[in-house]
Amino acid sequence: MANEQLKPIATLLLGLNFCMYVIVLGIGAWAVNRAIDHGFVIGTGFDLPAHFSPIYFPMGNAATGFFVTFALIAGVVGAGSTIAGLNHIRSWTSESLPSAASVATIAWSLTLLAMGFACKEIELNIRNARLRTLEAFLIILSATQLFYIGAIHGAAAYRR
């Protein structure tokens, strides 16, 4: 690729996104662990409670289970997308762009899905500080991941 000016920006955004996705994974893992430890207790006769949900979370509201589940999926795919991103930044050629761009776009779309559940959780209004932090990280990640995709595609636009 002819344009080397966007390479430092893409590198910075890739590193920032990786750190934020790891934090999302950490908070999401805490929420799942808490849900497992403090969720429904099934009795000796294996009778399920009347309002049993497999994604019940004792903290938060009705959207928390969906939100945390998709936040974890987005976090894993987003953190994994840095492998293709690092390969692309290392070589910075048009041959490495499609794999980096496609996996980054998939991670961004999953982040947008998790952000949608975050918006629903904000609307329902009952959540703790860690869930608010997770919401904030996903909202910020939806923008920074888009900027990263734009940075790696913008460099390809200047190729002659």
Side-chain angles (χ1 to χ4, degrees):
M1 295 191 170
N3 188 3
E4 293 283 329
Q5 294 173 346
L6 290 174
K7 189 174 181 178
I9 295 170
T11 305
L12 175 71
L13 287 171
L14 183 67
L16 175 68
N17 288 348
F18 176 74
C19 292
M20 290 180 70
Y21 276 123
V22 168
I23 292 170
V24 164
L25 284 172
I27 298 172
W30 165 83
V32 169
N33 184 46
R34 183 163 164 92
I36 290 170
D37 289 344
H38 301 290
F40 287 121
V41 177
I42 299 175
T44 57
F46 298 107
D47 295 329
L48 293 176
H51 299 289
F52 177 73
S53 172
I55 54 171
Y56 168 76
F57 281 75
M59 70 288 198
N61 52 43
T64 302
F66 296 104
F67 168 59
V68 171
T69 301
F70 283 102
L72 283 171
I73 293 170
V76 168
V77 174
S81 73
T82 59
I83 296 169
L86 285 173
N87 182 43
H88 173 61
I89 287 176
R90 184 180 53 80
S91 62
W92 202 250
T93 62
S94 59
E95 289 81 26
S96 63
L97 175 65
S99 63
S102 63
V103 74
T105 304
I106 292 168
W108 178 62
S109 63
L110 289 170
T111 303
L112 286 178
L113 182 61
M115 187 198 70
F117 284 117
C119 292
K120 183 62 177 177
E121 186 167 296
I122 290 168
E123 179 186 328
L124 295 177
N125 205 20
I126 302 171
R127 59 205 195 279
N128 64 16
R130 288 185 180 146
L131 291 175
R132 280 187 231 135
T133 304
L134 187 59
E135 294 162 2
F137 271 94
L138 283 168
I139 291 169
I140 294 167
L141 267 168
S142 65
T144 58
Q145 186 73 8
L146 180 63
F147 293 149
Y148 166 71
I149 293 168
I152 61 175
H153 274 89
Y158 290 108
R159 194 183 73 195
R160 295 183 196 268

